[in-house]
Amino acid sequence: MKTFLTAAALGLTLVGSIATTAAEARTRSRSVSAQGAYGHGYNRSRAVTRQPGSTSVNRGIQTNSGRGVSSSRSANWGNGSYQGGASHTTNNGTSWGRSTSAVRNDDGSVNAVTTRTRPDGSTGTVTRETSPY
């Protein structure tokens, strides 16, 4: 019996290792529901997609009382450039977020622009240039 359990544990370990390697470029998701007394509780979800040169994450939480927020983040990079951002939206329609774009120049300097959108709808932009020296 002990030999069988050891073999079963080894088999599960090998399957877990193979599944982790094969799952590197696909979406992983999880949902959790927690319910308490008097109708209190929430449902939460998260999905992550990773590939070479890009990643994205979508999250959401909804309470039993009707409050909630959805968030998404993404990033793409390669060949000396980066583009990424995040956005958040509540159930009542309020939204905010940011986006960033950056490029590495031939001399090694980096130009980056970040734009933020606030919940009141106003925006702000920051431009940066860094020197390689």
Side-chain angles (χ1 to χ4, degrees), residues 6-55:
T6 303
L10 180 60
L12 289 175
T13 302
L14 290 174
V15 169
S17 298
I18 293 168
T20 301
T21 305
E24 290 297 315
R26 66 178 177 180
T27 301
R28 299 176 189 193
S29 61
R30 179 179 175 158
S31 295
V32 174
S33 178
Q35 304 302 317
Y38 307 107
H40 296 282
Y42 66 88
N43 294 306
R44 181 178 65 194
S45 63
R46 179 176 187 249
V48 179
T49 302
R50 289 190 176 99
Q51 297 177 6
S54 70
T55 186

Side-chain angles (χ1 to χ4, degrees), residues 28-96:
R28 299 176 189 193
S29 61
R30 179 179 175 158
S31 295
V32 174
S33 178
Q35 304 302 317
Y38 307 107
H40 296 282
Y42 66 88
N43 294 306
R44 181 178 65 194
S45 63
R46 179 176 187 249
V48 179
T49 302
R50 289 190 176 99
Q51 297 177 6
S54 70
T55 186
S56 66
V57 179
N58 294 307
R59 295 178 183 168
I61 186 166
Q62 299 295 321
T63 66
N64 289 355
S65 63
R67 295 182 179 177
V69 64
S70 298
S71 298
S72 64
R73 298 173 187 259
S74 64
N76 297 297
W77 59 90
N79 298 324
S81 67
Y82 168 86
Q83 289 186 328
S87 64
H88 315 282
T89 305
T90 62
N91 283 358
N92 67 3
T94 303
S95 61
W96 66 96

